[in-house]
Amino acid sequence: MTIFSQCFSPCGKFLVVGNNLGQIGVFSVSSALSSESNEQSKEPSAVFQAHAGPVYSLTSTERHLISAGGNEVKGWLWGDICKKVRPPHYLGCDTHRSSLETPEINSLILNPKDNSLLLGGGTGHIHAMDLESGTFTMTLQGHEDYIHCLCLREQQEECVSGSEDGSVRLWDLRTGSQTHKIEVYKYEECARPQYGKWISCVATDSDWMVCGGGPMLSLWHLRSVTPTTIFPIQESQQQVMFYQDMILSAGQAPLINHCQINGDIRTQIPSTPCAIYSLSINDCSQENKVLTAAGSSSKIDVFTNFRYRAFSLWFT
């Protein structure tokens, strides 16, 4: 089994994960962290068939879990999920049957400014969907190949995308126009031709961006559009995020990297999956705040203080 996506519930008590079989598993984080937990509390409280193909992305509103599988987007009521019943989906969009003709959706992000959902995938286009009506309101065009990852710069009302074409692009969500194009692989200090030029992960924090994939994981100052730090990590990185004064990353190695902004690797935490495709932090509940890592394994590692694996959940 391979697990591609994770999402915590708005209450912070539940973790849902999506796998390569199109299934979504629901775990009770609060039960697994309890002093009375046992092996059963580390298994799913519910599993349901969400899509026919892999679930590559999950995101959440206050009321709904939203999943992407193949060319479908579906929504599931959190109230039903937390009651451990098979939840009916409220929102469905088969983008292949519409004018979009998207082979697959790799990344979903929620834009709270206008209650829209941004989708990136096989067409190389980013589509904005209004969550109230389920209609598509905007298409951002420019990438020449698959889009692997999306993130927001909320203060600037921008979307950032990374693609198989080797570029990171910044988009003005008010106008739909492209504001910057960064071809990371063309910078000598970042380039690794032996791995390719694809960008698999991107994250932002104000005027800073970190990205990686085929090229080295690198930190960029977005105002000057220049790389300031190259991180000495040889494996291709699949996931990256800013956390406090660090950058957390993971990819094609059984390790979670804790990187300092100056480029030093503070520590590398061993993980169960040989390759990590999803990192998630439960910011919805201080009581249940954990880091979770999932990938090429049926086990999801849980880190309570982020510096060692406390235990693993098991997607049975």
Side-chain angles (χ1 to χ4, degrees):
M1 181 186 294
T2 301
I3 297 171
F4 289 113
S5 52
Q6 302 180 86
C7 184
F8 287 98
S9 63
C11 66
K13 294 180 179 179
F14 296 91
L15 171 69
V16 296
V17 303
N19 69 16
N20 60 313
L21 304 175
Q23 299 171 322
I24 288 178
V26 184
F27 295 85
S28 173
V29 179
S30 55
S31 295
L33 290 172
S34 167
S35 59
E36 299 176 358
S37 67
N38 52 35
E39 288 306 306
Q40 188 175 357
S41 63
K42 296 177 176 62
E43 297 177 359
S45 58
V47 176
F48 60 94
Q49 192 69 39
H51 298 274
V55 182
Y56 285 124
S57 189
L58 294 167
T59 190
S60 175
T61 69
E62 282 299 314
R63 295 188 62 227
H64 299 101
L65 169 71
I66 302 173
S67 62
N71 49 23
E72 294 179 320
V73 177
K74 293 182 179 180
W76 318 86
L77 283 167
W78 276 116
D80 290 343
I81 293 172
C82 298
K83 291 174 187 173
K84 304 179 185 179
V85 299
R86 188 198 184 286
H89 68 271
Y90 85 100
L91 166 70
C93 178
D94 184 342
T95 55
H96 185 68
R97 293 175 186 169
S98 74
S99 59
L100 297 177
E101 297 185 355
T102 306
E104 65 182 34
I105 300 165
N106 296 324
S107 184
L108 297 174
I109 54 169
L110 187 69
N111 182 10
K113 291 274 187 181
D114 60 2
N115 196 35
S116 67
L117 184 69
L118 300 174
L119 306 82
T123 61
H125 301 159
I126 302 166
H127 303 286
M129 175 196 287
D130 179 75
L131 284 175
E132 290 295 324
S133 64
T135 58
F136 291 92
T137 58
M138 183 185 295
T139 301
L140 310 178
Q141 301 184 41
H143 281 295
E144 298 169 4
D145 211 329
Y146 271 52
I147 293 171
H148 289 295
C149 51
L150 299 172
C151 71
L152 284 180
R153 290 183 78 201
E154 289 191 49
Q155 291 183 341
Q156 287 75 19
E157 294 188 53
E158 288 183 335
C159 171
V160 184
S161 56
S163 168
E164 187 77 13
D165 66 14
S167 70
V168 172
R169 302 186 189 223
L170 281 68
W171 311 85
D172 189 327
L173 292 175
R174 294 162 293 191
T175 64
S177 60
Q178 179 180 298
T179 58
H180 289 95
K181 173 184 175 183
I182 305 171
E183 294 179 296
V184 181
Y185 68 98
K186 290 187 176 180
Y187 289 76
E188 185 178 354
E189 60 268 47
C190 302
R192 292 193 298 189
Q194 69 274 28
Y195 291 125
K197 61 183 183 179
W198 49 284
I199 301 296
S200 57
C201 58
V202 63
T204 61
D205 183 7
S206 186
D207 290 331
W208 298 92
M209 176 189 76
V210 61
C211 64
M216 297 283 285
L217 188 72
S218 53
L219 179 68
W220 294 69
H221 184 246
L222 289 175
R223 288 187 182 272
S224 59
V225 195
T226 54
T228 61
T229 306
I230 311 299
F231 298 96
I233 302 171
Q234 294 308 308
E235 299 82 11
S236 294
Q237 298 299 282
Q238 300 278 353
Q239 290 283 296
V240 68
M241 62 176 68
F242 287 92
Y243 178 70
Q244 295 181 352
D245 62 342
M246 294 185 299
I247 292 170
L248 305 182
S249 76
Q252 297 297 322
L255 297 168
I256 299 174
N257 305 294
H258 291 221
C259 309
Q260 294 183 296
I261 302 299
N262 65 3
D264 292 341
I265 308 301
R266 184 180 295 181
T267 186
Q268 292 181 307
I269 312 301
S271 67
T272 303
C274 292
I276 298 173
Y277 301 126
S278 178
L279 283 178
S280 190
I281 294 175
N282 186 6
D283 284 321
C284 302
S285 168
Q286 284 301 312
E287 183 182 359
N288 301 312
K289 187 166 186 175
V290 292
L291 168 70
T292 54
S296 59
S297 171
S298 59
K299 293 188 175 180
I300 304 109
D301 286 347
V302 179
F303 303 82
T304 50
N305 73 353
F306 295 18
R307 293 191 174 276
Y308 69 91
R309 182 180 65 86
F311 58 86
S312 295
L313 304 171
W314 186 23
F315 197 160
T316 53

PDB file of all heavy atoms in Angstrom, residues 21-43:
ATOM      1  N   LEU A  21      -5.311   2.829  -3.508  1.00  0.00           N
ATOM      2  CA  LEU A  21      -6.451   1.992  -3.878  1.00  0.00           C
ATOM      3  C   LEU A  21      -7.750   2.794  -3.957  1.00  0.00           C
ATOM      4  O   LEU A  21      -8.815   2.224  -4.179  1.00  0.00           O
ATOM      5  CB  LEU A  21      -6.608   0.855  -2.866  1.00  0.00           C
ATOM      6  CG  LEU A  21      -5.378  -0.042  -2.661  1.00  0.00           C
ATOM      7  CD1 LEU A  21      -5.619  -1.054  -1.548  1.00  0.00           C
ATOM      8  CD2 LEU A  21      -4.998  -0.740  -3.965  1.00  0.00           C
ATOM      9  N   GLY A  22      -7.670   4.099  -3.754  1.00  0.00           N
ATOM     10  CA  GLY A  22      -8.858   4.936  -3.783  1.00  0.00           C
ATOM     11  C   GLY A  22      -9.615   4.961  -2.469  1.00  0.00           C
ATOM     12  O   GLY A  22     -10.727   5.492  -2.399  1.00  0.00           O
ATOM     13  N   GLN A  23      -9.021   4.405  -1.410  1.00  0.00           N
ATOM     14  CA  GLN A  23      -9.683   4.343  -0.113  1.00  0.00           C
ATOM     15  C   GLN A  23      -9.287   5.519   0.776  1.00  0.00           C
ATOM     16  O   GLN A  23      -8.168   6.046   0.677  1.00  0.00           O
ATOM     17  CB  GLN A  23      -9.313   3.049   0.610  1.00  0.00           C
ATOM     18  CG  GLN A  23      -9.722   1.784  -0.105  1.00  0.00           C
ATOM     19  CD  GLN A  23      -9.132   0.545   0.549  1.00  0.00           C
ATOM     20  OE1 GLN A  23      -7.981   0.558   1.010  1.00  0.00           O
ATOM     21  NE2 GLN A  23      -9.909  -0.525   0.598  1.00  0.00           N
ATOM     22  N   ILE A  24     -10.210   5.906   1.631  1.00  0.00           N
ATOM     23  CA  ILE A  24      -9.936   6.881   2.684  1.00  0.00           C
ATOM     24  C   ILE A  24     -10.094   6.181   4.023  1.00  0.00           C
ATOM     25  O   ILE A  24     -11.106   5.510   4.276  1.00  0.00           O
ATOM     26  CB  ILE A  24     -10.874   8.100   2.594  1.00  0.00           C
ATOM     27  CG1 ILE A  24     -10.481   8.970   1.383  1.00  0.00           C
ATOM     28  CG2 ILE A  24     -10.821   8.934   3.874  1.00  0.00           C
ATOM     29  CD1 ILE A  24     -11.371  10.174   1.164  1.00  0.00           C
ATOM     30  N   GLY A  25      -9.066   6.288   4.855  1.00  0.00           N
ATOM     31  CA  GLY A  25      -9.102   5.715   6.197  1.00  0.00           C
ATOM     32  C   GLY A  25      -9.222   6.817   7.232  1.00  0.00           C
ATOM     33  O   GLY A  25      -8.623   7.886   7.087  1.00  0.00           O
ATOM     34  N   VAL A  26     -10.011   6.569   8.265  1.00  0.00           N
ATOM     35  CA  VAL A  26     -10.260   7.541   9.331  1.00  0.00           C
ATOM     36  C   VAL A  26      -9.654   7.020  10.623  1.00  0.00           C
ATOM     37  O   VAL A  26      -9.956   5.899  11.054  1.00  0.00           O
ATOM     38  CB  VAL A  26     -11.772   7.777   9.524  1.00  0.00           C
ATOM     39  CG1 VAL A  26     -12.013   8.864  10.568  1.00  0.00           C
ATOM     40  CG2 VAL A  26     -12.445   8.122   8.200  1.00  0.00           C
ATOM     41  N   PHE A  27      -8.784   7.826  11.244  1.00  0.00           N
ATOM     42  CA  PHE A  27      -8.132   7.443  12.495  1.00  0.00           C
ATOM     43  C   PHE A  27      -8.519   8.433  13.594  1.00  0.00           C
ATOM     44  O   PHE A  27      -8.587   9.642  13.348  1.00  0.00           O
ATOM     45  CB  PHE A  27      -6.611   7.444  12.345  1.00  0.00           C
ATOM     46  CG  PHE A  27      -6.077   6.416  11.396  1.00  0.00           C
ATOM     47  CD1 PHE A  27      -6.003   6.684  10.030  1.00  0.00           C
ATOM     48  CD2 PHE A  27      -5.649   5.180  11.848  1.00  0.00           C
ATOM     49  CE1 PHE A  27      -5.505   5.741   9.143  1.00  0.00           C
ATOM     50  CE2 PHE A  27      -5.148   4.237  10.971  1.00  0.00           C
ATOM     51  CZ  PHE A  27      -5.079   4.512   9.619  1.00  0.00           C
ATOM     52  N   SER A  28      -8.720   7.917  14.790  1.00  0.00           N
ATOM     53  CA  SER A  28      -8.966   8.765  15.949  1.00  0.00           C
ATOM     54  C   SER A  28      -7.624   9.113  16.591  1.00  0.00           C
ATOM     55  O   SER A  28      -7.005   8.266  17.252  1.00  0.00           O
ATOM     56  CB  SER A  28      -9.871   8.061  16.960  1.00  0.00           C
ATOM     57  OG  SER A  28      -9.967   8.836  18.148  1.00  0.00           O
ATOM     58  N   VAL A  29      -7.165  10.331  16.379  1.00  0.00           N
ATOM     59  CA  VAL A  29      -5.884  10.765  16.948  1.00  0.00           C
ATOM     60  C   VAL A  29      -5.985  10.823  18.464  1.00  0.00           C
ATOM     61  O   VAL A  29      -5.055  10.418  19.180  1.00  0.00           O
ATOM     62  CB  VAL A  29      -5.481  12.143  16.386  1.00  0.00           C
ATOM     63  CG1 VAL A  29      -4.162  12.621  16.986  1.00  0.00           C
ATOM     64  CG2 VAL A  29      -5.374  12.090  14.867  1.00  0.00           C
ATOM     65  N   SER A  30      -7.099  11.322  18.953  1.00  0.00           N
ATOM     66  CA  SER A  30      -7.264  11.448  20.406  1.00  0.00           C
ATOM     67  C   SER A  30      -7.218  10.077  21.089  1.00  0.00           C
ATOM     68  O   SER A  30      -6.615   9.931  22.159  1.00  0.00           O
ATOM     69  CB  SER A  30      -8.574  12.165  20.732  1.00  0.00           C
ATOM     70  OG  SER A  30      -9.673  11.529  20.121  1.00  0.00           O
ATOM     71  N   SER A  31      -7.810   9.062  20.463  1.00  0.00           N
ATOM     72  CA  SER A  31      -7.764   7.710  21.051  1.00  0.00           C
ATOM     73  C   SER A  31      -6.356   7.136  21.007  1.00  0.00           C
ATOM     74  O   SER A  31      -5.901   6.498  21.956  1.00  0.00           O
ATOM     75  CB  SER A  31      -8.725   6.775  20.304  1.00  0.00           C
ATOM     76  OG  SER A  31     -10.062   7.178  20.469  1.00  0.00           O
ATOM     77  N   ALA A  32      -5.653   7.364  19.884  1.00  0.00           N
ATOM     78  CA  ALA A  32      -4.302   6.830  19.744  1.00  0.00           C
ATOM     79  C   ALA A  32      -3.328   7.472  20.724  1.00  0.00           C
ATOM     80  O   ALA A  32      -2.357   6.837  21.155  1.00  0.00           O
ATOM     81  CB  ALA A  32      -3.818   7.028  18.316  1.00  0.00           C
ATOM     82  N   LEU A  33      -3.584   8.737  21.101  1.00  0.00           N
ATOM     83  CA  LEU A  33      -2.704   9.446  22.027  1.00  0.00           C
ATOM     84  C   LEU A  33      -3.088   9.208  23.487  1.00  0.00           C
ATOM     85  O   LEU A  33      -2.325   9.575  24.390  1.00  0.00           O
ATOM     86  CB  LEU A  33      -2.748  10.949  21.739  1.00  0.00           C
ATOM     87  CG  LEU A  33      -2.107  11.420  20.436  1.00  0.00           C
ATOM     88  CD1 LEU A  33      -2.395  12.901  20.206  1.00  0.00           C
ATOM     89  CD2 LEU A  33      -0.603  11.181  20.443  1.00  0.00           C
ATOM     90  N   SER A  34      -4.236   8.615  23.705  1.00  0.00           N
ATOM     91  CA  SER A  34      -4.717   8.403  25.071  1.00  0.00           C
ATOM     92  C   SER A  34      -3.803   7.448  25.839  1.00  0.00           C
ATOM     93  O   SER A  34      -3.177   6.545  25.275  1.00  0.00           O
ATOM     94  CB  SER A  34      -6.138   7.828  25.024  1.00  0.00           C
ATOM     95  OG  SER A  34      -6.528   7.335  26.276  1.00  0.00           O
ATOM     96  N   SER A  35      -3.748   7.639  27.151  1.00  0.00           N
ATOM     97  CA  SER A  35      -2.953   6.743  27.999  1.00  0.00           C
ATOM     98  C   SER A  35      -3.534   5.336  28.022  1.00  0.00           C
ATOM     99  O   SER A  35      -2.860   4.380  28.411  1.00  0.00           O
ATOM    100  CB  SER A  35      -2.882   7.302  29.424  1.00  0.00           C
ATOM    101  OG  SER A  35      -4.192   7.441  29.960  1.00  0.00           O
ATOM    102  N   GLU A  36      -4.794   5.213  27.600  1.00  0.00           N
ATOM    103  CA  GLU A  36      -5.452   3.910  27.571  1.00  0.00           C
ATOM    104  C   GLU A  36      -5.460   3.303  26.168  1.00  0.00           C
ATOM    105  O   GLU A  36      -6.184   2.338  25.908  1.00  0.00           O
ATOM    106  CB  GLU A  36      -6.897   4.054  28.075  1.00  0.00           C
ATOM    107  CG  GLU A  36      -6.991   4.565  29.507  1.00  0.00           C
ATOM    108  CD  GLU A  36      -8.421   4.781  29.952  1.00  0.00           C
ATOM    109  OE1 GLU A  36      -9.341   4.571  29.132  1.00  0.00           O
ATOM    110  OE2 GLU A  36      -8.615   5.162  31.121  1.00  0.00           O
ATOM    111  N   SER A  37      -4.659   3.836  25.260  1.00  0.00           N
ATOM    112  CA  SER A  37      -4.650   3.344  23.884  1.00  0.00           C
ATOM    113  C   SER A  37      -4.102   1.926  23.815  1.00  0.00           C
ATOM    114  O   SER A  37      -3.284   1.512  24.643  1.00  0.00           O
ATOM    115  CB  SER A  37      -3.807   4.264  22.995  1.00  0.00           C
ATOM    116  OG  SER A  37      -2.441   4.188  23.357  1.00  0.00           O
ATOM    117  N   ASN A  38      -4.569   1.190  22.806  1.00  0.00           N
ATOM    118  CA  ASN A  38      -4.067  -0.153  22.551  1.00  0.00           C
ATOM    119  C   ASN A  38      -3.839  -0.301  21.051  1.00  0.00           C
ATOM    120  O   ASN A  38      -3.942   0.679  20.304  1.00  0.00           O
ATOM    121  CB  ASN A  38      -5.047  -1.205  23.079  1.00  0.00           C
ATOM    122  CG  ASN A  38      -6.468  -0.961  22.570  1.00  0.00           C
ATOM    123  OD1 ASN A  38      -6.659  -0.510  21.428  1.00  0.00           O
ATOM    124  ND2 ASN A  38      -7.461  -1.246  23.396  1.00  0.00           N
ATOM    125  N   GLU A  39      -3.529  -1.481  20.594  1.00  0.00           N
ATOM    126  CA  GLU A  39      -3.245  -1.676  19.171  1.00  0.00           C
ATOM    127  C   GLU A  39      -4.460  -1.355  18.300  1.00  0.00           C
ATOM    128  O   GLU A  39      -4.319  -0.825  17.202  1.00  0.00           O
ATOM    129  CB  GLU A  39      -2.789  -3.121  18.929  1.00  0.00           C
ATOM    130  CG  GLU A  39      -1.389  -3.408  19.457  1.00  0.00           C
ATOM    131  CD  GLU A  39      -0.348  -2.435  18.924  1.00  0.00           C
ATOM    132  OE1 GLU A  39      -0.251  -2.297  17.689  1.00  0.00           O
ATOM    133  OE2 GLU A  39       0.339  -1.796  19.733  1.00  0.00           O
ATOM    134  N   GLN A  40      -5.642  -1.649  18.785  1.00  0.00           N
ATOM    135  CA  GLN A  40      -6.858  -1.387  18.014  1.00  0.00           C
ATOM    136  C   GLN A  40      -7.079   0.110  17.803  1.00  0.00           C
ATOM    137  O   GLN A  40      -7.586   0.528  16.763  1.00  0.00           O
ATOM    138  CB  GLN A  40      -8.074  -1.999  18.718  1.00  0.00           C
ATOM    139  CG  GLN A  40      -9.345  -1.933  17.874  1.00  0.00           C
ATOM    140  CD  GLN A  40     -10.510  -2.646  18.532  1.00  0.00           C
ATOM    141  OE1 GLN A  40     -10.358  -3.249  19.604  1.00  0.00           O
ATOM    142  NE2 GLN A  40     -11.664  -2.587  17.910  1.00  0.00           N
ATOM    143  N   SER A  41      -6.679   0.918  18.773  1.00  0.00           N
ATOM    144  CA  SER A  41      -6.872   2.370  18.653  1.00  0.00           C
ATOM    145  C   SER A  41      -5.937   2.986  17.618  1.00  0.00           C
ATOM    146  O   SER A  41      -6.091   4.155  17.256  1.00  0.00           O
ATOM    147  CB  SER A  41      -6.668   3.045  20.014  1.00  0.00           C
ATOM    148  OG  SER A  41      -5.343   2.867  20.480  1.00  0.00           O
ATOM    149  N   LYS A  42      -4.974   2.205  17.146  1.00  0.00           N
ATOM    150  CA  LYS A  42      -4.049   2.693  16.115  1.00  0.00           C
ATOM    151  C   LYS A  42      -4.456   2.220  14.714  1.00  0.00           C
ATOM    152  O   LYS A  42      -3.754   2.465  13.742  1.00  0.00           O
ATOM    153  CB  LYS A  42      -2.620   2.254  16.440  1.00  0.00           C
ATOM    154  CG  LYS A  42      -2.082   2.870  17.743  1.00  0.00           C
ATOM    155  CD  LYS A  42      -0.696   2.370  18.072  1.00  0.00           C
ATOM    156  CE  LYS A  42      -0.137   3.059  19.300  1.00  0.00           C
ATOM    157  NZ  LYS A  42      -0.914   2.811  20.509  1.00  0.00           N
ATOM    158  N   GLU A  43      -5.596   1.554  14.620  1.00  0.00           N
ATOM    159  CA  GLU A  43      -6.148   1.124  13.342  1.00  0.00           C
ATOM    160  C   GLU A  43      -7.305   2.046  12.962  1.00  0.00           C
ATOM    161  O   GLU A  43      -7.835   2.778  13.805  1.00  0.00           O
ATOM    162  CB  GLU A  43      -6.632  -0.329  13.444  1.00  0.00           C
ATOM    163  CG  GLU A  43      -5.505  -1.311  13.733  1.00  0.00           C
ATOM    164  CD  GLU A  43      -6.004  -2.734  13.905  1.00  0.00           C
ATOM    165  OE1 GLU A  43      -7.245  -2.944  13.809  1.00  0.00           O
ATOM    166  OE2 GLU A  43      -5.175  -3.632  14.127  1.00  0.00           O
TER     167      GLU A  43
END
